[in-house]
Amino acid sequence: MGIEYSIRFESRDLATTVPTILERLCGAPNGTHYECRTNTASSMADASVMIVGGGLYFCDNGGSGREFLGRLVAALVSAFGVIQVQEYE
């Protein structure tokens, strides 16, 4: 298990804008979540992201997970302005 985060933001267009951002960053969804990886041959994703009510669930699994979090935060701020990132305890 990695480091888990809740990412919250206000969006009237969550259903279209967020999947577009996630697909650019991680590729097509794998069921209900997106797997972000730098090495496509690896069985373990660097990070996993799921769309949840009011925002996203993000899990940094190591490797380049923190880099994906930074890129995701930058994209969300650009699209929505203020966001809140909180680590699950």
Side-chain angles (χ1 to χ4, degrees):
M1 188 164 210
I3 302 170
E4 301 172 301
Y5 299 91
S6 169
I7 304 173
R8 301 284 181 204
F9 48 90
E10 294 290 323
S11 171
R12 288 184 220 120
D13 197 17
L14 183 73
T16 56
T17 303
V18 174
T20 300
I21 291 170
L22 292 174
E23 286 176 17
R24 267 191 235 130
L25 183 63
C26 305
N30 182 4
T32 61
H33 66 283
Y34 295 80
E35 294 180 343
C36 308
R37 25 178 119 243
T38 52
N39 180 357
T40 56
S42 174
S43 62
M44 178 74 145
D46 296 301
S48 299
V49 188
M50 280 191 333
I51 299 172
V52 295
L56 300 170
Y57 163 84
F58 184 95
C59 184
D60 173 357
N61 297 320
S64 296
R66 186 175 292 190
E67 179 185 335
F68 280 109
L69 178 60
R71 291 170 49 198
L72 177 59
V73 166
L76 292 172
V77 167
S78 178
F80 303 113
V82 176
I83 68 167
Q84 179 186 20
V85 180
Q86 183 174 7
E87 185 177 341
Y88 283 107
E89 296 182 19

